[in-house]
Amino acid sequence: MQKFEKKNISILIVEDEIILALGLEHTLQSFGYDISGIECSGNEAIKHCFSKLPDLVLIDINLKGNLSGIDVAKNIWQTKKIPIIFLTSYCDEKTIKQCMECEPYCYLVKPCKDIELNAAIQTAIHKHKYFFKNIEVFDTKSSLILINEKVKFHKGKNILYVDDLPKKLTGNEVKLIQILCEYKGETITFERIASYIWREELYDLGKLRTLVYRLKQKIDEDIIENIFETGYRLKVA
């Protein structure tokens, strides 16, 4: 098993209460992590991620400025695919549901024990490296992935085009296309696909098959191949 090297992990802290941010910085450094920086506003956090590309973002929901932590997390994940961990005092169902749309790797409620925070960070980094083993940096200028003559996928914008027209997809449908395109032409196991989409330890093959079927019906193109008892792969041109 590859050793987890904390010294190579840089973390951006996005927190508008500077005393808490500094305390968090000290805690993370004591665990051996590098701190990419501390940002108090959403706009500065986004700029930071584009310029310094931290390995992970630890973010609160309530921030200075016109952007919430949810807005910032969604932007960072969609454009840079940097793993997100929410660390916030909000724990109501409505807020948690909104945060889940940002695809966080973990949601921690303040006050959080140091040992829980450390475990959450290591888990997030491990999962991210597992799912994006060969990932390239995502940006809005990334080229289209040609699936066949009719179907294309834009990695930076997460948009699927059929006959050059964008298709409206659900979040799970987008994630299915993402992981298939990331390993274009390779067979990806049912378990790995389901874990990437739903982040669950146990997977429901029936639920995955339903998702694939609905996507095929929606785009009216048979671009996903079922490899018997193994997984799925893209039918590439």
Side-chain angles (χ1 to χ4, degrees):
M1 180 179 294
Q2 186 176 4
K3 185 178 179 181
F4 189 92
E5 294 289 349
K6 292 181 181 179
K7 65 181 180 180
N8 296 324
I9 304 299
S10 64
I11 300 175
L12 170 63
I13 299 170
V14 186
E15 168 65 66
D16 67 341
E17 296 188 35
I18 191 62
I19 300 300
L20 291 179
L22 292 173
L24 192 55
E25 179 183 37
H26 176 75
T27 297
L28 295 176
Q29 288 176 333
S30 71
F31 281 129
Y33 299 108
D34 290 331
I35 303 304
S36 178
I38 296 175
E39 301 294 351
C40 299
S41 74
N43 288 323
E44 292 304 314
I46 292 173
K47 290 179 182 178
H48 185 111
C49 286
F50 273 71
S51 63
K52 297 188 178 181
L53 292 174
D55 295 300
L56 182 139
V57 177
L58 196 60
I59 188 168
D60 192 5
I61 291 176
N62 187 34
L63 302 174
K64 293 180 180 178
N66 60 342
L67 295 178
S68 71
I70 297 175
D71 297 325
V72 175
K74 185 178 296 185
N75 181 293
I76 292 171
W77 177 251
Q78 290 180 347
T79 58
K80 292 299 180 183
K81 286 294 181 291
I82 298 173
I84 303 292
I85 292 180
F86 281 104
L87 179 58
T88 180
S89 58
Y90 293 91
C91 56
D92 60 280
E93 289 295 327
K94 181 179 179 181
T95 301
I96 294 174
K97 185 177 180 180
Q98 290 175 337
C99 288
M100 292 305 104
E101 296 177 1
C102 308
E103 303 300 326
Y105 278 78
C106 192
Y107 189 100
L108 298 174
V109 179
K110 298 176 182 177
C112 173
K113 294 181 180 179
D114 292 348
I115 192 172
E116 293 174 350
L117 176 60
N118 187 32
I121 292 171
Q122 292 194 42
T123 301
I125 294 296
H126 173 76
K127 283 188 174 183
H128 191 69
K129 287 183 176 180
Y130 175 77
F131 290 125
F132 293 89
K133 186 176 180 180
N134 300 312
I135 196 170
E136 297 175 354
V137 175
F138 280 65
D139 60 43
T140 55
K141 295 182 180 180
S142 54
S143 60
L144 289 171
I145 295 176
L146 302 180
I147 299 173
N148 61 30
E149 292 181 356
K150 291 186 175 183
V151 184
K152 307 169 186 175
F153 182 66
H154 196 296
K155 289 173 63 178
K157 297 180 180 179
N158 289 328
I159 298 176
L160 186 74
Y161 296 90
V162 179
D163 291 326
D164 294 323
L165 296 175
K167 282 288 182 178
K168 186 175 181 180
L169 304 180
T170 66
N172 286 342
E173 289 167 348
V174 170
K175 285 188 281 186
L176 174 60
I177 293 293
Q178 282 177 341
I179 191 168
L180 291 175
C181 285
E182 188 61 39
Y183 300 93
K184 183 179 176 182
E186 298 180 23
T187 300
I188 309 174
T189 64
F190 300 129
E191 181 179 11
R192 187 169 188 180
I193 295 172
S195 296
Y196 173 71
I197 294 173
W198 291 287
R199 305 275 169 81
E200 298 171 347
E201 295 297 329
L202 299 177
Y203 74 99
D204 184 336
L205 183 55
K207 185 164 63 172
L208 177 57
R209 285 174 172 165
T210 299
L211 178 65
V212 172
Y213 173 79
R214 289 178 177 173
L215 178 60
K216 288 181 177 180
Q217 293 295 108
K218 182 177 291 187
I219 66 177
D220 196 28
E221 285 287 328
D222 188 18
I223 65 171
I224 301 175
E225 184 177 5
N226 185 344
I227 308 303
F228 182 66
E229 294 186 349
T230 303
Y232 290 106
R233 70 182 178 197
L234 281 180
K235 290 183 178 180
V236 295

